[in-house]
Amino acid sequence: WQQTLKKFFLEAVEKEEISQKADLNQVIQEIWGIILGFHFYHRLLKDPKAKVRAKSTLNEMITKIQI
């Protein structure tokens, strides 16, 4: 899944939707962290706000790398 995500981000860089300065490996690692955090808080801790927090974090990350 990481290679698929990297391909998606490379296409976004080519279309000038994402900054060329973005470290795509870092972005992918951060997305993985969001997924793991969401899973832990949602499934194990039954946190009702886990989905909202995960979406917010992902949106903030994407905003930082957009042109």
Side-chain angles (χ1 to χ4, degrees), residues 2-36:
Q2 292 176 342
Q3 291 301 322
T4 301
L5 200 53
K6 191 168 188 174
K7 182 179 175 183
F8 169 79
F9 281 120
L10 288 172
E11 289 175 10
V13 169
E14 288 176 11
K15 293 178 182 179
E16 298 182 354
E17 297 172 339
I18 292 178
S19 172
Q20 291 182 355
K21 296 178 184 178
D23 180 347
L24 299 182
N25 290 321
Q26 179 68 32
V27 170
I28 292 168
Q29 182 175 339
E30 288 179 21
I31 290 172
W32 183 239
I34 293 167
I35 292 168
L36 291 175

Side-chain angles (χ1 to χ4, degrees), residues 30-60:
E30 288 179 21
I31 290 172
W32 183 239
I34 293 167
I35 292 168
L36 291 175
F38 167 73
H39 180 75
F40 180 82
Y41 277 86
H42 178 70
R43 298 273 296 168
L44 300 175
L45 300 180
K46 309 289 189 218
D47 184 345
K49 294 185 179 183
K51 186 175 183 179
V52 172
R53 288 191 192 107
K55 281 184 175 184
S56 175
T57 303
L58 183 60
N59 286 333
E60 288 175 22

